[in-house]
């Protein structure tokens, strides 16, 4: 993952995703951690886009937290504090977001590119399922971005 390809806000979201993973007792940062981190950025693009789409961001945030709290927690002497891994899936989301940025002729990967990448997952993942529950699709995102 090339951090130089990310906007500052996207870099902050990835770092926050790792913190979220630690908070939930997970040893890996995954897509749901990233999506939650993006939604919690007060002045971030993701919450503004979703609000423009009339999506209740707080409800989506709550659904993500519920999903993350259901995952297995790791604790005990074998766990290295501060050592969080990035899942293969999160790497794939990064790659998909990079492709979206290139498709939209953007130089850096931003929140909208990650949101678009999540829509490709459909109901195969918790984040994709939650986005669909709230009516977030590739088309609705692109229309909102265009306006």
């Amino acid at each position: 993952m090339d951090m130089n390809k990310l906007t500052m806000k996207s870099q902050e979201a990835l770092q926050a995703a790792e913190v979220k993973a630690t908070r939930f007792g997970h040893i890996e940062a995954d897509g749901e951690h990233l999506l939650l981190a993006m939604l919690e950025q007060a002045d971030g693009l993701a919450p503004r886009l979703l609000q423009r789409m009339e999506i209740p961001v707080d409800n989506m945030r709550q659904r993500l937290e519920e999903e993350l709290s259901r995952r297995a927690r790791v604790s005990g002497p074998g766990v290295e504090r501060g050592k969080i891994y990035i899942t293969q899936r999160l790497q794939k989301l990064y790659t998909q977001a990079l492709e979206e940025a290139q498709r939209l002729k953007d130089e850096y990967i931003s929140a909208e590119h990650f949101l678009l990448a999540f829509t490709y997952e459909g109901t195969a993942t918790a984040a994709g399922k939650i986005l669909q529950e709230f009516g977030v699709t590739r088309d609705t995102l692109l229309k909102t971005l265009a306006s």
Side-chain angles (χ1 to χ4, degrees):
M1 201 176 289
D2 184 358
M3 296 298 269
N4 294 321
K5 296 257 184 214
L6 299 167
T7 62
M8 289 302 292
K9 281 291 183 193
S10 291
Q11 288 178 27
E12 290 170 11
L14 274 170
Q15 290 167 350
E18 292 180 14
V19 171
K20 300 237 171 283
T22 302
R23 189 182 100 212
F24 281 98
H26 305 148
I27 58 170
E28 296 180 318
D30 204 357
E32 288 72 24
H33 298 104
L34 175 61
L35 184 54
L36 180 60
M38 288 170 38
L39 295 180
E40 289 182 349
Q41 287 182 318
D43 57 344
L45 181 59
R48 287 192 321 240
L49 271 174
L50 295 172
Q51 287 167 347
R52 183 173 252 175
M53 296 167 68
E54 298 181 6
I55 292 171
V57 176
D58 288 337
N59 293 356
M60 186 181 285
R61 200 177 309 149
Q62 183 179 355
R63 283 281 292 115
L64 283 162
E65 286 180 356
E66 288 168 5
E67 178 61 37
L68 287 168
S69 66
R70 279 196 287 269
R71 292 186 181 181
R73 293 178 177 269
V74 178
S75 62
V79 177
E80 286 186 58
R81 192 161 257 242
K83 193 162 192 175
I84 300 294
Y85 300 95
I86 302 293
T87 62
Q88 254 187 332
R89 174 177 160 232
L90 190 50
Q91 285 281 3
K92 284 173 133 177
L93 282 165
Y94 168 85
T95 302
Q96 186 67 48
L98 177 61
E99 290 173 13
E100 288 296 333
Q102 291 168 343
R103 196 172 294 128
L104 295 172
K105 304 203 183 333
D106 291 328
E107 191 174 343
Y108 296 100
I109 300 169
S110 184
E112 71 266 24
H113 306 119
F114 277 113
L115 285 172
L116 287 165
F118 277 113
T119 64
Y120 281 100
E121 294 185 319
T123 58
T125 66
K129 195 179 300 183
I130 291 168
L131 286 171
Q132 278 194 0
E133 281 175 26
F134 285 89
V136 179
T137 65
R138 178 175 167 71
D139 289 341
T140 58
L141 274 170
L142 289 172
K143 285 176 187 170
T144 304
L145 284 168
S147 68

